Amino acid sequence: MTELERFRSLFHQQVLHTFDYLQAINETQWQGIPCDSQALYLGSRINKITIAALSRHLATTESHWISQLPSIPANGTMPMPEKDPVIEAAKTVPGFIDIYELRHRKNMERLTALSAGDLDKPLLFAGRHYTGMGLLWSILGHHAYHLGQMDLLMRQQEVTAPEYMEWREKERVVG
């Protein structure tokens, strides 16, 4: 298995697991800020931490990074993601999941199409140096980080979150 195939395998399971998290909540829990404080402020792109804000952030950033990676020249700078109006327009959990599933399928197709040059080229994002493959592994870490936040927000609202890393696929080796 190549490094890209390993990444795709783990990333796919992680996103499917996120859909399991989202299917365990209702609209009130999706939008709720159960423990409001200044420490829960994430900056101008996400006002307050909610499961809705975190899941929208994941769908937006993953689509942006994966779609932009092939077009960034060697030593180029990856632009910061911007809010996606289609993702932002989703007002219900099922509607959001439908959009995120479509985006994820497209992301998986784009990952398959990446070349060795895309994976090896150096690039800059948010003042940090990466290779294309290094950026992909950072996407996996970014997703896990925010999934952990979603888990905490669910538990604060008395929702039992799915057990982490209990991937949907049990018959095949993941990663």
Side-chain angles (χ1 to χ4, degrees):
M1 185 179 275
T2 68
E3 186 175 6
L4 179 59
E5 290 168 335
R6 192 171 299 111
F7 169 81
R8 286 182 76 249
S9 173
L10 286 165
F11 178 65
H12 182 60
Q13 290 309 303
Q14 196 173 57
V15 173
L16 293 179
H17 199 51
T18 302
F19 297 150
D20 294 339
Y21 272 68
L22 294 173
Q23 289 166 350
I25 60 173
N26 62 38
E27 304 306 319
T28 301
Q29 295 156 341
W30 195 51
Q31 297 287 352
I33 304 173
C35 181
D36 193 12
S37 78
Q38 289 301 314
L40 291 177
Y41 182 77
L42 286 181
S44 62
R45 283 175 279 147
I46 298 176
N47 187 8
K48 290 283 188 176
I49 296 177
T50 64
I51 295 169
L54 290 168
S55 53
R56 284 183 176 119
H57 173 69
L58 287 173
T60 298
T61 56
E62 291 163 4
S63 292
H64 171 77
W65 291 325
I66 292 169
S67 69
Q68 292 295 307
L69 183 56
S71 64
I72 303 298
N75 298 306
T77 300
M78 169 79 68
M80 293 298 285
E82 296 179 7
K83 285 190 176 184
D84 182 317
V86 173
I87 290 170
E88 294 298 317
K91 299 301 180 203
T92 66
V93 177
F96 172 76
I97 291 172
D98 289 345
I99 293 166
Y100 195 1
E101 284 178 334
L102 288 171
R103 297 291 170 96
H104 180 62
R105 277 196 290 275
K106 187 66 176 170
N107 287 340
M108 296 302 289
E109 290 171 12
R110 287 180 173 135
L111 287 167
T112 300
L114 291 174
S115 70
D118 293 327
L119 301 175
D120 291 337
K121 71 181 166 189
L123 58 98
L124 189 68
F125 176 70
R128 309 297 185 294
H129 296 271
Y130 295 91
T131 62
M133 193 70 237
L135 182 68
L136 293 180
W137 285 118
S138 292
I139 291 170
L140 189 74
H142 175 260
H143 193 107
Y145 176 75
H146 289 311
L147 189 58
Q149 291 173 326
M150 289 169 59
D151 185 279
L152 177 63
L153 293 175
M154 288 173 70
R155 293 173 194 279
Q156 287 178 346
Q157 297 179 82
E158 299 184 6
V159 177
T160 302
E163 289 296 323
Y164 184 63
M165 292 178 56
E166 287 192 4
W167 311 124
R168 288 185 185 182
E169 292 189 36
K170 296 179 179 166
E171 303 303 318
R172 154 181 102 74
V173 174
V174 175

